[in-house]
Amino acid sequence: MLPSTSSLQSALLDRAWIQWIALGVDAVGERDDAVVDPEALIALTAELGDADARLRDVSTDWCVAYGRYVNGSRLKQVVRELRTPAEAIGEYVATVAASGGPAWPMATEPRPEYATRGKARLDSARSRPRLRIRLRAAFGVNARADVLAALLAVPKIGLSVADLARRTRFTKPNVAFAVDALVLAGLLEARAVGNERRVTLTQNGKILPGLAPPVVQPDWVTRFGVALEVLRFEDRNGMSTSVRAIEARRVVESLRERITSEGLPQPNLDALGDDFAPAFDRWVVQLVDYLGHPSRTYSGG
C-alpha cells in the first residue's frame, strides 16, 4: 500500500482530535491517554486548520476558555521549531484573542466567521493527558511546571539544566531560574556533575495528590515535527522518480536524529538510487500507522 498526503494528514488530524478531547473539548470520540503538549497541539491544529474547520473551531473554543494555561513564549518557540506557517498560527492566535482569550505572540488577523460555541469543559486536570495543565495550575504558567513535568519522566536519573532547556523548549536562563526556585522550595535537588548541575526530584513520592513519578511523556514537538515535514514534502507534486528519491532521502537525513530520539519507525536507508522512492513510501505508511495507535505513544506512568 502506498501512502497519500490524505492518509498522513488524516492520521495527524485524528491525533489532534483525541488530544483535544483529552484536554476537555466537548466532542464524541476516543481520547488520548498520553500526556498532551498544549503548545505543540495548538501549532499542529493551526497548520492543519483548513483541512478540518470543526476541529479548528472547537479547539479555539478551548483556547478562549482555558488558554491561560498555555505559555505564549513557549508557543512561539514550538511554532518556530515546527515551522508552522506564519499566516496559519497568526490567524489562530488572533482569533483566540479577539474572542476574549489570552493575547499570545504572532497574532495577525482573526478569522471573521468564528463564533465561540462553548465546546470545552475542564472541571479537573488530574488525568494523565492533562499533566502539564495541572502542574501549571499549581506552579504557574512558566518554566517551573514544565521542568517538573520533564523530571517526572526521569525521577531517578535527573537532567542537566541544558537537557531541561532542550526538553521543555524554554531558554536556559529561564530553566536555571526555575530550578533555583524549585530547589529553594524543596522540590528539587541540584548537584554539581563536572561542569554542569544535575537536577532530580527531592523524593519519588507524590508531588501533588495522586501524582507520583515516573510519568512517561512523548515529545510531541519532535513527533509532530517529523510528520509535518513529511507531509509538506508529500504535498510537492510533479517530481520524477529520480528527483523524488533524491529529495526524499534529503528529507529523511534531516530528520534522522529526531526519528531516532523518539523511537519512530526507521526508514530503509539501504535502498539506493530510484529504489529509495518506494522505500520512502513504505516508511510513510509505517509512520501513518504509528501515529494512528495511541497505545504506541507512551508506556508506564
Side-chain angles (χ1 to χ4, degrees):
M1 181 180 68
L2 294 179
S4 66
T5 296
S6 61
S7 64
L8 181 54
Q9 184 181 81
S10 293
L12 285 168
L13 286 169
D14 288 347
R15 174 62 64 177
W17 267 112
I18 67 175
Q19 291 202 349
W20 281 116
I21 291 171
L23 288 187
V25 160
D26 186 9
V28 176
E30 184 181 4
R31 63 182 60 201
D32 211 330
D33 194 34
V35 176
V36 174
D37 181 330
E39 288 79 23
L41 182 56
I42 289 169
L44 174 72
T45 305
E47 179 157 354
L48 300 182
D50 287 341
D52 192 332
R54 180 169 171 263
L55 173 66
R56 182 176 56 192
D57 284 351
V58 297
S59 67
T60 303
D61 287 353
W62 189 95
C63 291
V64 170
Y66 304 111
R68 60 188 178 276
Y69 298 116
V70 173
N71 187 291
S73 296
R74 184 175 186 272
L75 176 62
K76 187 174 182 180
Q77 176 57 37
V78 168
V79 162
R80 185 182 299 116
E81 186 171 335
L82 291 182
R83 300 199 309 116
T84 311
E87 62 275 13
I89 192 64
E91 180 186 78
Y92 191 99
V93 302
T95 304
V96 171
S99 303
W104 299 320
M106 305 166 291
T108 52
E109 294 295 324
R111 57 183 187 277
E113 71 278 11
Y114 170 75
T116 304
R117 308 179 205 177
K119 290 289 187 178
R121 300 287 185 276
L122 189 60
D123 299 325
S124 171
R126 294 188 61 162
S127 65
R128 173 164 46 188
R130 301 174 182 179
L131 173 68
R132 292 190 183 218
I133 303 300
R134 186 180 186 191
L135 290 171
R136 291 173 183 182
F139 297 101
V141 185
N142 52 53
R144 286 193 293 269
D146 287 56
V147 164
L148 286 170
L151 290 171
L152 278 166
V154 286
K156 296 181 180 179
I157 300 171
L159 295 165
S160 69
V161 170
D163 290 335
L164 284 166
R166 283 191 294 272
R167 292 198 182 201
T168 63
R169 273 81 180 182
F170 284 97
T171 65
K172 285 180 69 175
N174 280 342
V175 169
F177 178 80
V179 166
D180 288 342
L182 291 168
V183 169
L184 190 64
L187 291 172
L188 301 184
E189 292 179 348
R191 66 183 189 279
V193 178
N195 295 324
E196 62 184 16
R197 283 195 302 168
R198 194 152 199 88
V199 183
T200 56
L201 295 174
T202 304
Q203 56 184 5
N204 288 332
K206 299 175 182 178
I207 65 170
L208 288 172
L211 178 59
V215 183
V216 178
Q217 301 156 56
D219 184 343
W220 290 112
V221 179
T222 295
R223 295 188 184 198
F224 291 158
V226 169
L228 287 169
E229 290 297 342
V230 174
L231 182 62
R232 292 166 190 146
F233 173 75
E234 291 289 288
D235 282 340
R236 294 163 58 184
N237 298 315
M239 289 182 282
S240 67
T241 300
S242 296
V243 171
R244 189 168 185 277
I246 292 169
E247 293 301 315
R249 186 178 291 275
R250 186 172 295 156
V251 169
V252 167
E253 290 289 350
S254 71
L255 298 173
R256 282 183 70 181
E257 184 177 341
R258 284 184 274 176
I259 291 168
T260 301
S261 70
E262 271 300 287
L264 299 174
Q266 292 283 339
N268 179 16
L269 295 175
D270 292 333
L272 303 176
D274 290 358
D275 289 341
F276 189 72
F280 177 82
D281 290 339
R282 289 190 293 272
W283 172 65
V284 176
V285 171
Q286 292 178 310
L287 187 61
V288 168
D289 183 59
Y290 186 93
L291 287 168
H293 289 79
S295 61
R296 297 181 185 176
T297 62
Y298 72 94
S299 62

